[in-house]
Amino acid sequence: TFKIPPKLKQFNVFITRDVLSKLTNKQYLAINLLEAPVLAFILAYLVKFYNTDLSNKVGYIFRENENLPAYLFMSVVVALFIGLTVSAEEIIRDRKIQKRESFLNLSKASYLYSKISIMFVLSAIQTLTFVLIGNYVLEIKDMNLWYWLVLFSSSCFANMLGLNISASFNSAITIYILIPFLIIPQLLLSGVIVKFDKLNPAITSQSVVPVTGEVMTSRWAFEALAVKQFKDNQFNSELYKYDKAISIATYKKDYWLTELNKKLDNCENNYKNPAHKDEVTDALKMIHDEITKELKVPEIKRSNLKCPNLDQLTLSSFSPSVSSSVGAFIASLKNYYLNKFKNATKGKDEKVSDLTKDSVSRANFLQLKDDYENESLSDLVTNRTTPYRILDLDGKYIQKIDPVYLDPVDSDLGRAHFFAPRKKVFGKYYSTYWVNIYVIWIMSLSLGITLYFDLLKKFINFLERVFNKFSPETR
């Protein structure tokens, strides 16, 4: 006969007791089951903006709703807040029961698994109702599953965080005082309220998301939603590859190569002037590094473009003839990207012509654009309003325009700029959406480890001992 393992028995007992306790608490059930859909309706209704001018005969158009980014961000905040508050008292509430049953040597793992399972199921229901109501009101189409997975993952992270603080503090009042200190950094360092490149220069980065942002679940969740909504909606998914090729070619020929050429001309004008020695040395090194990096791009490799005299981009070897040779390479590279731009533009025009070949298909195309594309979100993920298209910083050029079309190349561990379309992990590219989901769950798993081993509680106890040791009352 099959015997049920003792830990599984204990798990069943713990989960049954907890579920029955929650089912008998009608107020608890009502609040937790109605909170998410009510908040979704209020939030979506408030941000459902449309032009009320008499010229608007249609009414609400999803494409023109300027508040979609705010809705995405607030959805993440709601998922985190609800997930945190629903779990913050779960363990501290059982302290008396745990003390009474301590002599039974019950499995700690079974107890924690039961708590986590119940919290995750509750979070799944809450985030599902939030997405269904909110997306219905705002007429966000074909994205319910993708939104739910992000918000559910975020809420599960918050559940694990809440269980950690519930297991580590002795007072429910202390826990609820602590919640704002956990939520506010998620707001401020999400990259939405304050852009990452506008933070204090001591903690920010112009090329990638700074570390302060990398540890925020809100950043991973919002980026996943924003990139998924922009890139994979039913309208943009048809044209994204053409727009990406156009964006890359435009940046290279109009900004990067133009700046590179200016720097080369400046070197030629000043390389004999001792007063500009350091400036020219740094500029030549930068030109060398930028061209070297470009020659490693697979498409450039296949084009067989070569840069003669590349190794002579040093102060000791530089001359007008070297400048002329490198300048000719820059010109050929500009022609290469000009052709790429023309081919991508032609491909997009042909695709659009195919989708709008008659009056019916043309009307369907415009309706599809109204229903799936959002101009405000497009402005955000393409950084269209930035005054800087390119930055000359720390010996390299940094692209600031069109981050949603720019693939990161420098990191193999998924580090990238905000709104990257995909991320490089161990040499391979993966969709930003899935990379971000995995990161959120890795963070949740880490909190599971700290919960099981009481690491946060031990750290707090250590701080208390240190404080007591140096407290005047103990001297």
Side-chain angles (χ1 to χ4, degrees), residues 87-110:
S87 59
E89 275 194 81
E90 279 299 307
I91 294 178
I92 198 172
R93 192 188 295 129
D94 292 344
R95 287 277 165 83
K96 291 182 179 179
I97 298 175
Q98 288 178 315
K99 188 174 182 181
R100 190 165 60 241
E101 296 176 347
S102 59
F103 71 95
L104 295 175
N105 293 321
L106 298 175
S107 168
K108 180 180 180 180
S110 298

Side-chain angles (χ1 to χ4, degrees), residues 263 266-267 270-286 314-315:
K263 197 172 283 287
N266 187 59
C267 290
N270 297 299
Y271 79 102
K272 289 185 176 180
N273 189 338
H276 294 277
K277 178 182 177 182
D278 292 339
E279 178 188 345
V280 172
T281 300
D282 292 340
L284 289 172
K285 183 179 185 306
M286 183 175 175
T314 61
L315 190 61

Side-chain angles (χ1 to χ4, degrees), residues 291-303:
I291 292 177
T292 300
K293 186 167 63 174
E294 182 70 12
L295 291 172
K296 292 179 181 178
V297 174
E299 288 186 357
I300 300 299
K301 277 185 176 180
R302 290 193 292 269
S303 71

Side-chain angles (χ1 to χ4, degrees), residues 233-252:
N233 69 71
Q234 196 171 326
F235 178 78
N236 277 345
S237 61
E238 296 281 340
L239 303 174
Y240 177 81
K241 64 179 181 180
Y242 303 108
D243 289 332
K244 182 177 181 178
I246 291 170
S247 171
I248 292 171
T250 299
Y251 169 76
K252 293 288 187 179

Side-chain angles (χ1 to χ4, degrees), residues 216-231:
M216 295 296 146
T217 305
S218 57
R219 159 265 199 273
W220 296 98
F222 178 78
E223 183 185 46
L225 289 175
V227 172
K228 186 71 176 177
Q229 177 66 56
F230 172 81
K231 181 172 171 283

Side-chain angles (χ1 to χ4, degrees), residues 37 53 70 84 129 131 143 169 179 193 208 215 222 247 280 286 312 350 385 428 475:
D53 188 88
L84 189 57
T129 55
V131 168
M143 285 285 168
F169 291 91
I179 286 177
I193 294 179
V208 295
V215 297
F222 178 78
S247 171
V280 172
M286 183 175 175
Q312 292 181 281
E350 289 174 352
T385 59
K428 292 185 178 181
R475 291 179 182 177

